[in-house]
Amino acid sequence: LLCGAILASAIFSSIPMYSNAMFQRMLIKDLELMQKDTTKYPGTYSVEMIGKSREDYQKVDKIMYSKYASEISLPIKDKTAVIITDPFNIEEERKTEDERSITSSIAAYRNIEEYIDLLYGKLPKNNKESDIYEVIVSQKAAKKLALILNNTYKLTKTISRFETKTIAKVKIVGIFTYKDENDVYWDEGNYRNLDNRIVMLESDVERITENRELLKVYSMKWMYFFDYYELKFENTRKIITTVYEQRLSMRVNLNLIDIAEKYLSRQNDLSMTLWILTLPFIVIICFFTLMISGLIIKNDENEISVLKSRGAGTYQIFFLYIIQSLVMAGIAFIMGPILGKSICRVMGASNGFMELVSRKSLPIKITAEIYQFSLLATAIFVVFVLIPAFRACRTSIVQYKRKKNTENKRAIWEKIFLDIIVLLVSGYGLYKFSDRQNVLHKTGASGQELQIDPILYMISTLFVIGIGLLFLRLYPWLYPCLIKGIFQLGKNRWNSVLYYSLVNTRRIENNARFIMLFIILSISFGVLSSNQARTINQNTEDKIRYEVGADVVLYPYSRVVPNSPMSQVEGSPSDSGVLFDEAPYRKYQNLAGVEGVTRVFEEGNALVKGNSFGLADVRILGIVPHEFVKLAWFRDDLLPFHINRYMNIMTQSPASALLSKDMQEKFDLGDRISIQWGKHKENTLLCKVHGFIDYFPTYNPYPDNNVTFASEDLNGLKWKTKSLVVVNFSTLQSKVPGLRYNIWIKKKPGVTDGTINDQLIEKKLDISRISFANQNLIRQKNDPLLQGTNGVLTMCFIITMLVTIVGYLIYWLLSIKGRTLRFGIFRAMGMSIRQVTMILICEQVLITVSAIIAGFFIGNVASDIF
């Protein structure tokens, strides 16, 4: 019981622990990637005020840290504040008539002297007695604004066409450059903005804008650069809430907030998935607890009845079991999260079902939230321990003796037909699931757009429980009949061992039925978990390879052929109406480690016309059939006939075309169709429809309507178009020479992606983009959701099998202990130890083996259905 309590606590606490740890690691990685791709520092926090009075700026400046920045609760690497004035004109003190004015503004950067190197001159000083303000400018600003060191300039404001007023005079005392443009201090484009500004001391800005209507402070921006490596995933919700609350009164921005929000939503998906996958194991733990506590209570029933006959009250005896269960629960409450931490490490190292790899350990922490889940698990454990204890404590010695001499009564679940109810609920869930799938197929909506019935999360678990209970309901009727038949066949010939085993098995007790149900559920859930994991992993790999199309897909950089008639067509070079310089196809064929290479033409904005119908936004796929079929990845069960038969048709008839299934109602087999793409009138191809296809490599018949046409994705291109037409590449090329095309490659066994990539660099082949199916698969396997799924299924499978073995052994040990007197009588009657042992073995074969067979059968049936 203590082992069961600790396991329950460990599993309950490991799910939020793993979820937080995994997303902590992935969150920091994505923030690093954001900094690399966008050059924006993720930890930059800025508060900006625009168009306020000078007093407002000063007031907010005093409370900026205490009221705003301190609420983010992250260590500060650096900070600054930037004051920008309204624009003005800069003029030479003695301006000539032909000299033009240059527009600029004043900026004051706090602590700027620590991040710049002076090339010429000196830093400005505050001289309150002088009317000339000292300023410095960047090297780029000096060149762009034509400012000369040590020269004095007038700052002027144009009042009207004929009137200009002087604001102040400034002197350029220094020209600087940046120590490091990549320093976080220059985030938010601070260094680029200096190219058109002059830099002044903050105190001088206050003086120059004081009581001046001509020059005012335009904006003030406070920036804090937080160390995002110290960001804890459990604190992200609080930080996001804080930022949104601050935005109600100020212009506040935190660069990492978009990524943090995305991870919060993904955490909900991951946690829900892990709880769903863990549900069968939770059921097993509950059954384990109920079974073992029931056996313990059964052995204590005689002692309980004696205590009651001597005056002990029901609640006095029950209180003893409460104390025992609370002691075990207390130990489990403390030990569970510690074991859960080890379970999380196994989950984090999972690369597939029952497949562990060496990975950097997750940043796992045991927090107060984790112990809340541990407390919930131990509370459930206490309830299941006390259920049989409460029933037994209400039994007097007379009732106990009477019960021992009566036949087994039907269990409560049999009386209320719980098995039938559970199966009906499971059937309803399956109906709802099928209905949901039909809606998704017909509408093309994403799974997140439909409301989810909670029953869908547990229908497979309910089905296994329902079938298991139904098996036990029918077992006393069907199985004893079979045993009775066997018994009658050799009634006068069976030896004493087999005779007793057959008779005793036919009179199966409730406890024996309970261990059978326990074994059935354990085996069924184990089979279901392994099949779930295999299906999920196989479908994930198949989906990625299907989306990419081949082992490697190259997108050569295409150049427009100069002076060609088509190169004068209006539009971008990506338009198919432009004649392109053909990629060096032979060089790709000669790459080492390549088993096959082919050319594939792709265009996503074609017009298909038939006799009386036309369809726009159709995707064209031009292939070389005999090459394409050898290297393109495709599953055999996606089409009614093998893909080779379709390729044979296209090879025999070069002008043939295959159309996607959604076009079948619009066109018939044998129809002549014209395909037009691009902006050039010559881009028209006449074909004959030879077949309709549900699927084809890279083609998704249910596109995401939220995806922009041909938007880039990690796995290649996501096409918004729903319709597809497949034609011969050679026919296309004969009609329009100089087509752009992609290169699809199949690698030889054992050849790595790095080998292909190194050759592309060595041969200096111009590639605009490249997709490796294996790299995309590795990236997907590092996804927290897939890792967690495999980790939970692996963990639950192993622990379920261990719990099954332990529960089985405990049951038989306690069962044998309860039958010690009976076996003593057998020995006194002359039976040998070998014969008594054979009785136990026969009973286990007749009871346990049938339960194991039933468990495998139910598990496989559930896998096929769900």
Side-chain angles (χ1 to χ4, degrees), residues 450-737:
L450 297 182
Q451 186 176 2
I452 299 175
D453 192 327
I455 293 175
L456 293 180
Y457 291 135
M458 53 186 75
I459 52 176
S460 58
T461 303
L462 291 175
F463 176 81
V464 171
I465 294 173
I467 290 291
L469 292 174
L470 182 63
F471 174 80
L472 286 191
R473 178 185 291 276
L474 300 177
Y475 186 90
W477 302 93
L478 300 179
Y479 189 69
C481 291
L482 177 63
I483 296 297
K484 187 176 181 179
I486 298 172
F487 175 77
Q488 290 296 334
L489 287 175
K491 181 177 180 180
N492 299 321
R493 293 189 296 273
W494 301 127
N495 59 29
S496 57
V497 171
L498 197 55
Y499 184 96
Y500 175 77
S501 298
L502 290 170
V503 171
N504 195 51
T505 303
R506 191 154 57 101
R507 299 168 184 167
I508 185 170
E509 298 178 350
N510 281 331
N511 284 326
R513 294 170 68 187
F514 207 102
I515 189 62
M516 290 184 71
L517 179 60
F518 179 71
I519 293 173
I520 289 171
L521 293 180
S522 301
I523 299 295
S524 299
F525 287 139
V527 171
L528 188 60
S529 294
S530 61
N531 286 336
Q532 278 179 333
R534 183 198 61 192
T535 303
I536 290 169
N537 291 319
Q538 188 63 53
N539 283 355
T540 299
E541 180 175 349
D542 290 355
K543 181 178 179 180
I544 288 174
R545 297 194 181 280
Y546 180 88
E547 285 180 346
V548 177
D551 292 343
V552 185
V553 177
L554 307 175
Y555 301 84
Y557 181 77
S558 303
R559 299 176 182 84
V560 180
V561 178
N563 302 322
S564 68
M566 292 185 185
S567 64
Q568 307 304 320
V569 175
E570 293 183 2
S572 65
S574 63
D575 292 333
S576 296
V578 180
L579 185 63
F580 291 95
D581 185 16
E582 187 174 346
Y585 181 57
R586 189 169 295 278
K587 288 186 179 181
Y588 294 105
Q589 288 180 306
N590 294 331
L591 292 174
V594 169
E595 186 174 312
V597 180
T598 189
R599 293 165 291 183
V600 177
F601 170 78
E602 286 187 88
E603 172 62 39
N605 195 17
L607 175 65
V608 177
K609 293 181 179 179
N611 295 329
S612 59
F613 197 90
L615 189 64
D617 293 333
V618 178
R619 181 183 169 207
I620 306 174
L621 207 61
I623 63 171
V624 182
H626 69 281
E627 294 176 353
F628 183 85
V629 76
K630 291 179 182 178
L631 58 85
W633 190 94
F634 197 69
R635 224 164 64 179
D636 293 340
D637 60 342
L638 297 178
L639 293 174
F641 304 102
H642 196 280
I643 192 172
N644 287 2
R645 296 181 64 175
Y646 296 89
M647 295 299 99
N648 288 338
I649 293 173
M650 295 192 68
T651 302
Q652 295 164 7
S653 177
S656 61
L658 299 175
L659 275 57
S660 54
K661 201 79 172 182
D662 65 294
M663 301 168 69
Q664 191 167 10
E665 295 179 358
K666 305 172 182 66
F667 304 100
D668 296 321
L669 285 174
D671 268 8
R672 291 282 179 180
I673 60 172
S674 67
I675 307 168
Q676 186 177 348
W677 72 98
K679 295 185 177 181
H680 200 273
K681 61 181 181 181
E682 297 296 328
N683 290 355
T684 302
L685 187 69
L686 296 176
C687 294
K688 182 181 179 182
V689 179
H690 273 265
F692 297 95
I693 49 177
D694 297 286
Y695 299 94
F696 204 75
T698 73
Y699 167 61
N700 181 9
Y702 311 107
D704 186 351
N705 294 324
N706 297 320
V707 174
T708 306
F709 167 72
S711 64
E712 288 198 17
D713 185 72
L714 290 175
N715 297 329
L717 292 177
K718 281 191 173 180
W719 299 90
K720 187 176 179 179
T721 52
K722 186 177 181 179
S723 303
L724 173 73
V725 57
V726 183
V727 296
N728 267 289
F729 179 83
S730 56
T731 307
L732 280 171
Q733 196 174 40
S734 64
K735 185 70 177 177
V736 183

Side-chain angles (χ1 to χ4, degrees), residues 175-229:
I175 298 175
F176 67 88
T177 188
Y178 318 100
K179 285 184 179 179
D180 183 6
E181 290 185 4
N182 296 319
D183 197 292
V184 295
Y185 184 88
W186 301 114
D187 197 52
E188 298 284 305
N190 283 339
Y191 69 90
R192 289 192 301 271
N193 295 335
L194 281 173
D195 294 351
N196 198 41
R197 293 171 181 167
I198 60 176
V199 180
M200 184 182 286
L201 293 175
E202 188 174 342
S203 58
D204 284 346
V205 173
E206 291 180 1
R207 188 156 61 97
I208 201 173
T209 57
E210 187 176 12
N211 299 322
R212 291 180 185 268
E213 293 297 325
L214 294 177
L215 188 65
K216 296 179 180 179
V217 174
Y218 170 73
S219 70
M220 187 167 183
K221 190 175 186 179
W222 296 265
M223 287 188 291
Y224 291 83
F225 307 102
F226 295 113
D227 185 359
Y228 67 86
Y229 285 97

Side-chain angles (χ1 to χ4, degrees), residues 104-105 107 109 112 115-120 122 124 135-149 172-179 181 186 189-200:
S104 182
S105 58
Y109 286 74
I112 191 174
Y115 302 95
I116 61 173
D117 286 326
L118 280 173
L119 298 175
Y120 311 100
K122 62 177 184 176
V135 297
I136 57 176
V137 293
S138 68
Q139 189 177 24
K140 291 181 179 178
K143 184 177 180 181
K144 185 175 182 180
L145 303 176
L147 302 175
I148 301 172
L149 185 68
I172 310 298
V173 298
I175 298 175
F176 67 88
T177 188
Y178 318 100
K179 285 184 179 179
E181 290 185 4
W186 301 114
N190 283 339
Y191 69 90
R192 289 192 301 271
N193 295 335
L194 281 173
D195 294 351
N196 198 41
R197 293 171 181 167
I198 60 176
V199 180
M200 184 182 286

